[in-house]
Amino acid sequence: MKHIHTRFILCAMFACTPFAMSAQDIAENETDSLAKEPLVQVAYRKVAQSDLLGGVSVVNMEELIKKNYNNYSLDNMQGYIGGWSGNSLWAMDDYLVLVDGVPRDPDNVLPTEIEQISFLKGASAVVLYGSRAAKGVIYITTKRGKVEDLKINLRGNTGFYVSKSYPKYLGSAQYMTLYNEALLNDGELPKHTEEDIYHYASGTNPYRYPNVDFYSSDYIKKAFNTSDLTAEITGGNKRARFYTNIGYIRRDDQFKFGEAKKDFVSRLNIRGNIDLTINDWISAYVNANATFYDARTAKGDYWNSAATLRPNRVTPLIPLSYIPAENLAALTLTGNSMNIIDGKYFLGGTQLDQTNVFASYYAAGYNQWTSRQFQFDTGVNLDLARVLKGLSFQSQFAVDYATTYNTSYDNSYAVYSPEWATFNGSDVIGKMTKYGDDKKSGVQNIGASTDRQTIAFSGQFNYLTSVDDTHNLSAMLIAAGYQRTMSEVYHRTSNVNLGLQLGYNYLQKYYAEFGGAAVYSAKLRPGSRAAFSPSVTLGWRLSKENFLADSSVVDDLMVNVSGSVLHTDMDLTGYYLYDTNYNQADGAWWSWYDGALEHSTNSVRGKNEDLTFAKRKELSANVKTSLWKGLITADASFFYNDVEGLPIQPTTLFPSYFRTGYPNASLLPYVNFLSNRRMGFDFNVNLNKRVGEVDLTLGVAGTYYTTKATRRDEINEFAYQNSAGRPIDAIWGLQSLGLFQSQAEIDAAPDQTSLGSELHPGDIKYVDQNNDNVIDERDVVYLGRGGWYGSPFTLGVNLTAKWKNFTFFVLGTGGFGAYGMKSSSYYWVYGDGKYSEAVLDRWTEETKATATYPRLTTKSGSNNFRSSDFWMYKTDRFNIAKVQVTYDFPKSMLRNFFLHDISAYVSGSNLLTISKERKHLEMNVGSAPQYRFYNLGVKVAF
C-alpha cells in the first residue's frame, strides 16, 4: 500500500508535463508483454512490424540512444533508414512533423524523450492525414509509463565544441599589395605606398598599423563547453502509469571578449504523462510538456564582419599609454569615455567605421532571447465490444502555445580615431577625433514578440476482427483537423479531413488495404474546397507460400505495391488566389491638371474560379525480407510520383499586354499549371552476426532519386534553355573556356561586353552556345544538379560491435551526385572586398600558365562573378558522423548496491569529412564555423 501511495505522489508531482500518444497505445501497455514483435506507429494506429506495408521506415530511439547519445531528434537519421535524405522524404520539398500525433517542432523534443520515430514516406502511408501531409510525415512517439516498480534514470554529459576550420584571409600587407595590383589591372594608380606596406608587414606597432585576424586566439576560444543533465522517472500499475523527463542543457559560446564572452543558450524541459485504465472498457491519458529556452548574445554580427571587414581598417583597442602626458586634449577626450576597457584601452574606429563589431561587443549592449512552449494533449479510448465485438473509439484533443520575445539593452558608444606621429623614435598619438557618443539609458527594450497557438483534434472509430484466425479485417473512420495561429498573420494554417481505412489480410499472406481522405481547403473558392484522396495497397507474403515455406534461407519475404492520388493545397502560397485582387502598393503617381498627385490602383491578378488542389500521383513498390534466421534483414522501396497542377501565374497562356511594368500590374490569374516528377528507390540492409565473443551489427541505408520538371511556363528561343525535361534542382549558368590569356585572344573571341564588364586578359572566357558571336543570357545552359532536396544519392553506414561490457558504435553518412557553386564573398572578390587565400591563385602575366583564379579587380567584376561552371564543384562527401564507446559496468559489481545500472561513454561527433572538396565543405563564410564535438557521459539507474 505504501508502495502504491509513493507512485501516485510522483504522478502528481511530475506527470502534469508532456507527452502524446494515441489512445490505443494505452491499451497496448497492458499487452506489450504478450506482443510477439515490435509495433510501429503509422497513421492513427500501430501495426505489427511484420504487417507493415511499404513507404514506412522506423527507428527505435530507445535502443539507439544506448549506443549513440545526441541532442537532436533527427540527428543523422539518414544513417539508419532509407528514404530520408537529411532534409526531405523521397525528395519532396517539405514534410509534416507530428509529435504524439500533434503538429510540433522536431527540435522541441529530445532523443532521451523519444521511444520511436516513424518516417511515413509513401503517399499510401500519409493519405489519412490529409492535405498538409502530402509531402511526407515524420511521426515522433515519446516514451510512456509501464507497469513496473518505480525507476529513476539519471544521465549527465559534458563536452566541448572545437572548430573544424576557419576561412583564411590575407593579412594587411598582403591585402594592400594585391589591392594595388587590382587597381593597376583597372588602369588606376596604386593606393598604398611601399612604405605603408612595410610598416604593416613589420608588425612593430599593430595599433598604428593594424592587422586584424578575426580568428585569432585573442578573440576566439579553441573550445567551448556544453553540458546537460536528464532525469527520467517512470512507474505504475495496471490502473495508472506515468513517465517524466526533466532535462537541462546549457551551451556556452566561443567568444572570449566583451559582452560576447557571456553568451549562452540554455534549455529546460519538463515532460510527463499519465495513463489511466479507468475500467475494462475506458482508458485515458493526459500529456503535457513545458520548455524554457533562453539565449544571451552580444550586439553585433561577428562572423559576417569577419568575412567583410578588411584587416587594415580598424584597430579594435588602442592603449591609452600611447597618448603623451602633455596631450591634454586627447587625454580629456578619452577620459570622458564610459568604455575604457580594462582601465587601459579605448575603442578604435574611423570616420568610415564609426561602429564596428569589436566596439559593439564591448559597448553596444546585449540581447536576451526568450522562448516558452507549453504543450498539452489528452485522449480517451473506449472499448465498444459490448456494441460490436472488435469496435472501439478513441479521441485526442491538444492545445499548444509558444511565445518568443527579445529583451535588450541598446547602448550607443563613441570610437576614437588617432593621428599618429613619431617622437624621439617612438610612436605617439597626436590629434584625436571622436565619432559618436557614449549613452547608456538603462532602459530594457522589448521587441520581436511572436506567439503561436496550435489546436488539434481527432476522433475515430476502429474495428478489428478475425474470422477463424484466417480472415483478418480492420477499419478506421477518422475525423481530424488542426489549426495554427501565428501572431501578425491574418489567416490561420488549417488542415481538416475525414479519413477511411479498410484493411484485409488472409492468413497474413495476402493483404489489401484502402485508405482515403476527404480534404478541405479554405484557400479555394467556395464550392471547390473539397476533394477526395484515395490510395490502394496490395501485399503478398511469399514466405508463406509452399515453395518458400520450408526454405532454410528465407525467413520472411513480403512484397507490396501502392497506387495513390493525394490532393494538397501546400503549394497555394496565399488565400483568395482564385479571385481578382487590386492594390496600390506598387502603383504609379499621376499628376492631374490641378497639380495634385494621385496614386494609381492596379490589378495584381485576374480571376480563376477553377483553381484547385495540386495532386501527388504515385506508384510505389516495396520488398522486405529476413534471411538465414535473421542474419540479414532488408527493406527496399521504389517510388514514382508526379505532382501535377502546381499553381502559378503563367505568362505563356495569355497575351503580353496582360502585364505592365510601370505601373506594376497584372491581369494574369493563378492556374494549376506546373508539374514535377520524382523517381527513385531507397533501401536498408542490416547484418547481424556473432563472431567469437563479438556481436556485430552492420547497417547500410541509402536513397537515390531523380527529378524532372515535366511542365514549365516557358517559351525559349533555344531548346537547350528549356527547364522542362531538366531536373527540378537544376543549376544554370555559362560554360567557361578558361581565362583569356591576351588581348588578341579577347579580340578574336565572341563579344562579352553585354555581361557588364570591360574585358582584360585574366577574365573568364565563355562558350557561345548559339553561335551568334555574342555572349549573353542566351548562352546560359544547364550545368548540373544542385541537390536542393538532399544529394541525389544519400548513403548511411552504421556499425555496432559488442564485446563483453563494451559497445563500439560508428556512424558514417554520405551524399553524392550534386554540385555546388563557389559564390560566397570568399571566392567572388571584387570592389573593396576582403581578400581570401583563394585569390593567391589569381591570373597575372607571370602566373597565367598556372592561374586558376581570374585577375583581381576593384570594379564590379560582373563578367567573372556570375554563375558558370568555372565556379562549380562536386559536393560528393562521406562523413564520419559519430564514434562512441560505451562501457556497462558488470551487474556483479552492483550487487547489494542502490544503483541498478551504470554506463559510461565517450564520443566524438562530426569528426571527419572525406571529400576532394573537404576544405571548402568544412568551411563556413559569414556564419559560425562547423564544429567537432567531443563528449563524456554517464548514465545511472536507480
Side-chain angles (χ1 to χ4, degrees), residues 549-560:
D550 298 325
S551 172
S552 60
V553 175
V554 178
D555 313 323
D556 187 36
L557 176 61
M558 184 176 182
V559 297
N560 57 78

Side-chain angles (χ1 to χ4, degrees), residues 564-639:
S564 310
V565 179
L566 272 58
H567 293 75
T568 178
D569 66 352
M570 293 180 69
D571 295 290
L572 289 167
T573 56
Y575 290 79
Y576 307 108
L577 296 183
Y578 57 85
D579 207 354
T580 305
N581 181 265
Y582 297 89
N583 70 18
Q584 291 184 325
D586 298 316
W589 291 93
W590 307 95
S591 178
W592 298 94
Y593 67 91
D594 60 356
L597 289 175
E598 300 291 339
H599 198 181
S600 66
T601 298
N602 305 314
S603 173
V604 176
R605 61 177 177 265
K607 176 181 288 190
N608 176 19
E609 293 187 346
D610 294 326
L611 187 67
T612 187
F613 295 91
K615 300 178 182 66
R616 174 183 173 182
K617 298 180 177 179
E618 181 172 281
L619 290 173
S620 63
N622 173 264
V623 57
K624 60 181 180 179
T625 187
S626 173
L627 306 175
W628 291 291
K629 298 182 178 179
L631 175 66
I632 296 175
T633 59
D635 189 351
S637 297
F638 167 81
F639 60 92

Side-chain angles (χ1 to χ4, degrees), residues 7 101 135 191 214 240 693 696:
R7 291 186 195 159
K135 297 181 181 181
K191 178 180 180 180
F214 277 80
E693 296 184 347
L696 292 175

Side-chain angles (χ1 to χ4, degrees), residues 701-757:
T703 305
Y704 176 78
Y705 72 91
T706 62
T707 66
K708 181 186 288 187
T710 51
R711 192 181 189 191
R712 284 296 181 268
D713 177 38
E714 59 187 359
I715 297 178
N716 292 305
E717 181 180 357
F718 303 102
Y720 60 77
Q721 291 194 317
N722 288 337
S723 298
R726 302 290 188 184
I728 305 171
D729 53 352
I731 298 176
W732 295 83
L734 297 171
Q735 284 185 326
S736 64
L737 292 170
L739 302 175
F740 285 114
Q741 299 299 313
S742 65
Q743 186 61 46
E745 187 178 355
I746 294 173
D747 295 339
D751 182 15
Q752 293 187 190
T753 56
S754 64
L755 301 183
S757 293

Side-chain angles (χ1 to χ4, degrees), residues 889-902 941:
F889 285 78
K891 299 288 186 182
S892 58
M893 293 179 57
L894 305 176
R895 290 176 183 171
N896 302 318
F897 198 51
F898 68 96
L899 297 179
H900 296 164
D901 294 288
I902 304 178

Side-chain angles (χ1 to χ4, degrees), residues 345-359:
Y345 298 101
F346 62 87
L347 301 176
T350 69
Q351 185 175 12
L352 295 177
D353 301 293
Q354 296 184 28
T355 60
N356 62 78
V357 72
F358 295 102

Side-chain angles (χ1 to χ4, degrees), residues 75 400 676 715:
D75 183 63
D400 292 358
N676 294 324
I715 297 178

